Amino acid sequence: MSLQTLPKLATRESDVESESAPLLANANDHESETAFADTQTPVSKQDADSVEERVRFRDQHDETGSGSNHEVEGRVLIAEERRRAERELVRKLDHRLMPCLVVIFIMNYVSRSGITSARLKGLEHDLGLSDMQFDTVLAILYVSYCPTQIPSNMIINRVKRPSIYIGCCVVLWGLTSGSTSLTRGFSDIMWCRVLIGLPEAAFYPGAMYLLSRWYTRKELAFRSAILYFGSLISMAFSSLMAAAILANMENVMGIRAWRWLFIIEGAITIVVGISAMYILPDFPHNTRWLTPDERRLAQVRLAEDAGEADEDTAGDSAWQGVKDAITDPKVALFSIMMVTQLLGLSFVNFFPTITATLGYSTTVTLLIASPPWLVTSIACLFNAWHCDRTGERFFHIAIPWFGVMLGYIICIMTSNTAARYFSLYLMSLGYAGFALTLVWLSGAIPRPPAKRAAAIGLVNGFGNLGNAVGAYAWKAAWGPLYRPSMWIALISLIITTILGLCIRTNLILANKKLDREQLENVKGAARERIEDAARLEGITFEEALERKKGFRYLY
């Protein structure tokens, strides 16, 4: 038995509905189908052979009408083969797609944040920057980074080879990062920061959209966390890398250590970008390193997950997707929540500076800045794993916010070194929740892909204005305790929590509306079959209907 038993997937929704019916029949509804990888145990070759032997036996020896048993056995065998094939497909994606994205994300953060580490080794002095100019250098990146994300995601939804598109963008920001080593003044570094924001804008929203084209809703949170794990690890890794370069490369070949930092980071990024062009997948229908059966299966399971094909129709243009996203109230709520969330987490751009207020040398400061992010990386993976297991979204995002708020309160109330260092752990944990924000958005705006791509670009692009504002919220004049900065961030996270509750309530109401519509549409023979099933199983009609439920929002 092979994947040839799977139906060919058409791109039109009507085709998907009819052609995926045999698959849906094997599992009663698409919700149980998408959970195969998690809830079923692997079937050995001996077990599969045993089933086939029993089927052949009944064919040869049962002459009194056991065809129904044969049919059941055949369906079980097909279902088991489907589950095995799906597990293999997800495993192949996990081994190839995820490591590549994680490495790119590491270099994404390293390239963007290297300037804060370079500040500790003379960048400001060499370029003659004032405190206000340095803050502007940090903020100016978002002038190009934020608005570019929407057209970038429009492009990635339309290009045939997103692997080439993302890889080229990585190479471009590597070149720009390396060019920062050549700057001689304020205007030079401003241009570098503006230009690096353009290709970087393609990566995170583009990567999240690419994940949503391959993984089901019940798989997406953990994979998104693995992706963001790269960012969190990079916060630790970049500090260690910066510490090594800044401590050992000063005046090598007559070049300042902070300039070597940008040269080395840029060169590594270029190599990663070129490699990504060959490693990353494209879309389920055209990825070269999958077999035709695997490509078809990848499309079928995404269609089952949302009850419709994960494809744009002829009317789903890129501009229509933007229009649909802008007019959706949920997108507006997510966008504002992202702004306040990133303002509340804006300490990240000043983490080495905040750590330096503990009073240690540059090398020690960079070394002790790493452990909080290592802890957060582990917490992020566990939080996302549990989020996938439960299907719950809001509290998995909000609880880490509460930890950040507690960290700010500790810093506001005391100047004790140990307490303030402990607060850095609490503050960094906020990113374990942030990693799931676009996952929640992807599930709240599932179809069509053009709208989902635009929504991700819009929310992440607009939301990064919080980082731009945050660049001015941590003024050097407010150091070393930065109490006004922490009050700003604390209030922002309180607003973020309120907005998150509004989104959660909106999705709950949307699910109740879907429940009412489904109940109204269950009539005649369909209703009788559900009532019979309820009587046989000893449950209520509503409980039986719940088992037949299709797509619902996760909140």
Side-chain angles (χ1 to χ4, degrees), residues 139-159:
I140 198 66
L141 177 142
Y142 300 101
V143 171
S144 57
Y145 180 78
C146 294
T148 310
Q149 293 190 38
I150 301 172
S152 177
N153 258 30
M154 292 168 63
I155 292 171
I156 202 171
N157 183 47
R158 292 297 175 182
V159 297

